């Protein structure tokens, strides 16, 4: 598309040429900034932040977490959150993984524990820093991500339930599904990726509650997207993730409150289990389900 646009420009064709039917993605107006010294950073994760020119009074915060091989800058330019921040005045935090291959550590005991000293701990400290520095609204902190970032979204919701009001995971796995028997940091878990790690809702829920023992406060509401043609993280991971949050919230995995076919678009089915859980299964979609920025804003209440 970029190539065609360049050709159009060279030939002096009108900007809205039929070769290029999609309106161009609006650019964010501000640059991404790196923040050093945001507080304790046990796993050496990098922090980047997007602060729109017009900030809401007491701004909400969205943590947007990149996929494997991704970067903060790649997710900033390839996802809609910065442009939406320009419209709505919230802040976006883009953490960047410290590992070669740049997946997230969702396998070590540290990462899978509240204040355990892993990536999840570093990301939580970024949120605390931004809330303080920009007088953010602590009741409007959200987390989202794609693929490895979706795995981390589930992990953040499990390890820091007091911090987040809602999470949206695009094509991830259940929190703890990638756990490493040998406590590897940033490990790959083939049994989970291929959809062989299955458990009951009660078991998956205990994986979550064990990440922050004794926590009895509210937990973020969750929206889980997955494609039925995902060959990287088997579609079965959708079902296991749904079971996990069904178990946490005490819903019935076999009885969604509503099932909407062809919603939010043709081929997608939306299952609502209760106030705190929505699953969206995308028939025929591979890895990863494309981000739906406007719908995310609705789910977050922004
Ligand atoms: C992969 O994760 C599962 C839980 O989903 C765990 O039981 C298993 O031990 C892990 N595999 C390895 C090789 O660590
Ligand atoms: C929740 O945990 C806090 C802190 O441990 C405790 O003081 C409180 O009694 C607990 N509340 C309930 C309803 O269990
Ligand atoms: C997983 O969930 C989807 C959507 O509800 C369903 O179509 C599919 O049959 C389920 N897969 C398994 C293995 O239960």
């Amino acid at each position: 598309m970029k190539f065609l646009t360049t050709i159009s420009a060279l030939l002096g064709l009108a900007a809205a040429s039929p070769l290029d039917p999609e309106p161009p993605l609006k650019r964010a107006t501000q640059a991404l900034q790196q923040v050093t010294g945001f507080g304790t950073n046990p796993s050496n994760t990098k922090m980047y932040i997007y602060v729109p020119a017009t900030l809401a009074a007491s701004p909400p915060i969205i943590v947007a977490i990149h996929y494997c091989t991704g970067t903060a800058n790649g997710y900033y330019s390839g996802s809609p959150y910065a442009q939406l921040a320009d419209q709505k005045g919230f802040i976006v935090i883009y953490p960047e993984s410290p590992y070669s291959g740049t997946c997230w550590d969702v396998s070590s005991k540290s990462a899978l524990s509240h204040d355990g000293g892993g990536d999840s701990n570093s990301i939580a400290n970024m949120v605390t820093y931004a809330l303080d520095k920009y007088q953010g609204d602590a009741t409007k902190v959200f987390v989202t991500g794609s693929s490895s970032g979706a795995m981390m979204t589930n992990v953040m919701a499990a390890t820091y339930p007091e911090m987040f009001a809602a999470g949206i995971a695009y094509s991830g796995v259940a929190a703890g599904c990638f756990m490493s028997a040998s406590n590897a940091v940033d490990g790959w878990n083939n049994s989970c990726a291929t959809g062989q790690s299955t458990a009951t809702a009660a078991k998956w829920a205990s994986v979550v509650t064990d990440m922050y023992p004794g926590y009895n406060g509210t937990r973020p509401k969750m929206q889980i997207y997955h494609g039925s043609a995902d060959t990287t993280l088997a579609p079965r991971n959708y079902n296991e993730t749904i079971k996990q949050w069904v178990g946490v919230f005490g819903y019935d995995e076999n009885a969604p409150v509503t099932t909407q076919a062809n919603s939010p678009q043709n081929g997608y089915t939306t299952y609502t289990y209760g106030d705190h859980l929505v699953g969206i299964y995308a028939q025929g979609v591979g890895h990863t389900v494309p981000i739906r920025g406007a719908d995310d804003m609705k789910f977050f209440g922004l």
Side-chain angles (χ1 to χ4, degrees):
M1 206 42 96
K2 195 167 192 176
F3 177 67
L4 290 179
T5 307
T6 309
I7 295 285
S8 304
L10 286 174
L11 297 177
L13 297 177
S17 135
L19 287 176
D20 198 358
E22 295 266 317
L25 195 66
K26 259 211 209 139
R27 283 174 173 277
T29 60
Q30 308 298 307
L32 192 62
Q33 308 163 38
Q34 186 172 4
V35 178
T36 53
F38 57 84
T40 316
N41 185 9
S43 78
N44 230 359
T45 300
K46 288 190 188 129
M47 174 178 184
Y48 290 83
I49 197 166
Y50 184 78
V51 181
T54 308
L55 205 52
S58 198
I61 295 175
I62 294 181
V63 181
I65 311 179
H66 66 71
Y67 40 85
C68 278
T69 76
T71 59
N73 192 58
Y75 214 50
Y76 153 75
S77 52
S79 71
Y81 303 112
Q83 295 92 313
L84 290 164
D86 283 338
Q87 289 167 29
K88 294 176 184 285
F90 58 77
I91 285 169
V92 190
I93 295 171
Y94 298 93
E96 186 169 288
S97 149
Y99 311 108
S100 76
T102 66
C103 299
W104 292 98
D105 176 20
V106 287
S107 61
S108 75
K109 180 76 184 150
S110 308
L112 300 176
S113 306
H114 179 79
D115 288 349
D119 292 351
S120 52
N121 198 161
S122 290
I123 293 171
N125 292 348
M126 294 174 195
V127 172
T128 303
Y129 164 90
L131 280 173
D132 182 54
K133 163 126 185 169
Y134 297 98
Q135 280 96 54
D137 185 343
T139 70
K140 291 186 182 155
V141 179
F142 309 100
V143 59
T144 186
S146 301
S147 190
S148 183
M151 298 185 194
M152 184 53 100
T153 295
N154 285 314
V155 168
M156 293 309 298
T159 51
Y160 290 90
E162 78 288 15
M163 185 168 270
F164 298 101
I168 301 177
Y170 285 97
S171 308
V173 303
C177 192
F178 251 52
M179 71 177 52
S180 164
S182 58
N183 203 23
V185 172
D186 187 28
W188 181 261
N189 185 309
N190 213 48
S191 108
C192 178
T194 57
Q196 310 302 307
S197 287
T198 64
T200 61
K203 174 70 179 117
W204 277 130
S206 72
V207 170
V208 167
T209 51
D210 287 353
M211 290 185 194
Y212 190 179
Y215 180 74
N216 60 14
T218 58
R219 292 180 184 272
K221 61 176 191 171
M222 300 301 294
Q223 188 161 69
I224 309 300
Y225 283 92
H226 214 103
S228 75
D230 192 328
T231 54
T232 305
L233 299 173
R236 183 68 192 237
N237 286 300
Y238 166 81
N239 308 73
E240 300 308 306
T241 309
I242 291 294
K243 273 196 266 174
Q244 178 165 67
W245 296 115
V246 153
V248 166
F249 294 120
Y251 299 143
D252 181 347
E253 65 187 274
N254 298 310
V257 178
T258 62
T259 299
Q260 295 158 278
N262 297 318
S263 172
Q265 70 175 60
N266 206 26
Y268 287 35
T269 305
T270 298
Y271 302 88
T272 302
Y273 291 88
D275 289 347
H276 274 69
L277 181 61
V278 177
I280 299 172
Y281 197 62
Q283 199 61 46
V285 177
H287 194 70
T288 63
V289 175
I291 295 171
R292 301 181 63 88
D295 288 349
D296 290 358
M297 296 302 102
K298 280 188 220 152
F299 190 70
F300 290 157
L302 294 173

